[in-house]
Amino acid sequence: MAHYSCGMYGGSFNPLHLGHVRCMISAANQCDKLIVVISNGVNRGEIDIRQRYRWVYETVKHFSHVQIFVLDDTAPSKAAYTEETWYVDAQKVKDFAGEPITAVFFGNDYLPDSMWTKCYPEAEPVILPRDGISSTAIRKSPMACWDMMPDYVRSFFVKKVLLIGTESTGKSTLAISLARHYNTCSLEEVGRDISARSGTDEWMLPQDFTDILLQHKVKQMKMFSKANRVFFEDTNCLTTLFYIDFLEGKEKEKNRNLAEAISVLNEYDLVLLLGPDVNFVQDGDRSLKIAADRRKYTDLLKRMCEEHCLQVIELNGDYEERYRKAVELVDRLLEE
């Protein structure tokens, strides 16, 4: 097999898929130096270039001889990216390379007389198999194309489902059940053990709420990358904010500000509010005040979510009815 001094492989990687990964590896194996060019259509509504750069870097970082070059263009569509512009941009790539490009690698979805051969006539064209994988198909239906993407790209498309509710509404059990149903992971609430540091949540210290907020967010970020299509989260910073207002009293402003700041960072595709119509079970130190008027506090939590621009769907009925309704809603989410 031929070996080349300087090769080039380019694409928009919008998104990056396993076909791209295999092409980059094969091209890197055949060159002393490889330039990977990321075409960035700044006016075409593509995935953030920083995200695509990260995907490419993750793919090639184990190769010391691979360099990444971002090539911006302002064409409103790929059809508007004219042949005249091809040559101008190809010169930018050549300038970046700093030496003659002796091989141009491209997938077999391009015609032999494509822009690659026209713009780099001095380089040998090397056609690589793409296995029929398509970025267009992934953009149209990421869930149907899940196996086409490396794991570090999949997390970009994972759907996030939040389960909230007041005490003893079954949210923790349902979050685990749904994670098992969809063969994925769920994030349990971290506040239960922390709230018991003084034996009862009525005597929590301000730093306990700080710990809950920060530990939950850190665990969320770590676990999310492991999710399979969908990620389930049991409570979040708004639930903690609810209990800050309910329990903490005067010294609560700093933790309220922290909860609000974390809320700005969080995004969800589906929010399920578990209604208070199942039996209240006293498991540990659950609040008798909340138990005495569960509808009131459920409505307060719902209103808090709406004030933070989260549209909630309330689940009621027995545990099986809630489970079946949740599965129906998640299935619909994954089909969209």
Side-chain angles (χ1 to χ4, degrees):
M1 182 174 291
H3 193 82
Y4 307 97
S5 59
C6 182
M8 189 272 286
Y9 175 73
S12 60
F13 311 111
N14 185 44
L16 182 142
H17 53 64
L18 289 174
H20 295 134
V21 171
R22 292 161 185 161
C23 285
M24 277 187 262
I25 292 172
S26 183
N29 286 337
Q30 299 178 58
C31 298
D32 294 326
K33 175 180 176 180
L34 177 68
I35 310 298
V36 176
V37 179
I38 307 177
S39 297
N40 182 36
V42 296
N43 294 323
R44 294 199 287 271
E46 296 173 342
I47 296 170
D48 190 327
I49 184 58
R50 294 169 295 183
Q51 181 65 72
R52 287 182 283 148
Y53 189 100
R54 178 71 58 86
W55 290 336
V56 172
Y57 174 75
E58 185 68 25
T59 302
V60 300
K61 66 182 181 181
H62 61 298
F63 289 112
S64 61
H65 63 291
V66 175
Q67 300 177 12
I68 304 171
F69 178 63
V70 176
L71 182 62
D72 292 331
D73 75 78
T74 57
S77 66
K78 286 191 175 182
Y81 186 59
T82 62
E83 190 166 334
E84 180 182 353
T85 309
W86 295 359
Y87 293 98
V88 173
D89 285 349
Q91 188 58 51
K92 295 176 183 177
V93 176
K94 295 173 185 179
D95 292 342
F96 177 82
E99 63 181 277
I101 295 175
T102 55
V104 175
F105 299 85
F106 53 92
N108 57 7
D109 50 333
Y110 285 98
L111 296 174
D113 61 345
S114 68
M115 60 177 290
W116 304 117
T117 53
K118 289 183 177 180
C119 294
Y120 302 89
E122 70 285 355
E124 181 175 340
V126 183
I127 300 176
L128 301 170
R130 279 275 296 269
D131 303 332
I133 300 176
S134 163
S135 293
T136 303
I138 295 173
R139 290 195 301 273
K140 184 179 295 185
S141 181
M143 301 304 158
C145 301
W146 200 250
D147 292 337
M148 296 181 180
M149 295 180 282
D151 55 3
Y152 48 88
V153 175
R154 290 174 181 172
S155 59
F156 180 81
F157 296 100
V158 167
K159 299 296 185 182
K160 309 175 190 70
V161 179
L162 172 65
L163 285 79
I164 57 172
T166 57
E167 295 175 329
S168 193
T169 54
K171 60 185 181 299
S172 298
T173 301
L174 181 57
I176 296 171
S177 296
L178 290 171
R180 300 270 166 80
H181 179 98
Y182 290 97
N183 190 32
T184 188
C185 54
S186 64
L187 172 61
E188 63 182 11
E189 61 174 317
V190 303
R192 197 162 189 177
D193 292 337
I194 295 175
S195 66
R197 285 174 176 173
S198 299
T200 171
D201 57 16
E202 293 183 5
W203 290 96
M204 291 176 68
L205 297 171
Q207 57 260 41
D208 295 332
F209 289 103
T210 305
D211 280 356
I212 290 171
L213 289 165
L214 295 178
Q215 287 189 34
H216 189 90
K217 184 60 182 177
V218 169
K219 285 189 174 183
Q220 178 205 61
M221 295 170 67
K222 288 182 177 179
M223 292 188 66
F224 180 68
S225 62
K226 302 176 183 178
N228 176 28
R229 291 182 170 84
V230 60
F231 176 74
F232 297 98
E233 184 173 345
D234 173 11
T235 75
N236 77 335
C237 59
L238 294 183
T239 309
T240 307
L241 180 58
F242 170 85
Y243 283 103
I244 289 171
D245 288 340
F246 183 75
L247 293 170
E248 193 175 347
K250 294 181 180 179
E251 298 179 3
K252 64 183 181 182
E253 200 58 34
K254 290 182 180 179
N255 282 322
R256 287 195 99 266
N257 291 339
L258 178 59
E260 294 283 0
I262 293 174
S263 176
V264 172
L265 298 175
N266 289 339
E267 295 180 352
Y268 300 100
D269 299 286
L270 178 64
V271 181
L272 301 178
L273 171 67
L274 275 63
D277 55 336
V278 293
N279 291 332
F280 183 88
V281 178
Q282 181 53 271
D283 180 11
D285 189 43
R286 286 176 170 164
S287 171
L288 296 178
K289 184 178 179 180
I290 292 177
D293 198 345
R294 301 172 76 196
R295 183 71 259 172
K296 170 188 173 182
Y297 289 105
T298 297
D299 289 343
L300 282 175
L301 185 57
K302 181 178 182 179
R303 187 158 57 249
M304 181 177 287
C305 289
E306 292 171 345
E307 289 170 353
H308 290 79
C309 301
L310 293 181
Q311 183 178 356
V312 303
I313 298 177
E314 184 169 334
L315 299 183
N316 290 293
D318 61 30
Y319 296 115
E320 176 65 7
E321 289 174 313
R322 293 167 184 234
Y323 170 68
R324 290 184 178 275
K325 180 62 176 177
V327 168
E328 177 186 330
L329 290 168
V330 175
D331 282 348
R332 191 182 308 163
L333 177 68
L334 295 178
E335 291 169 0
E336 290 176 354

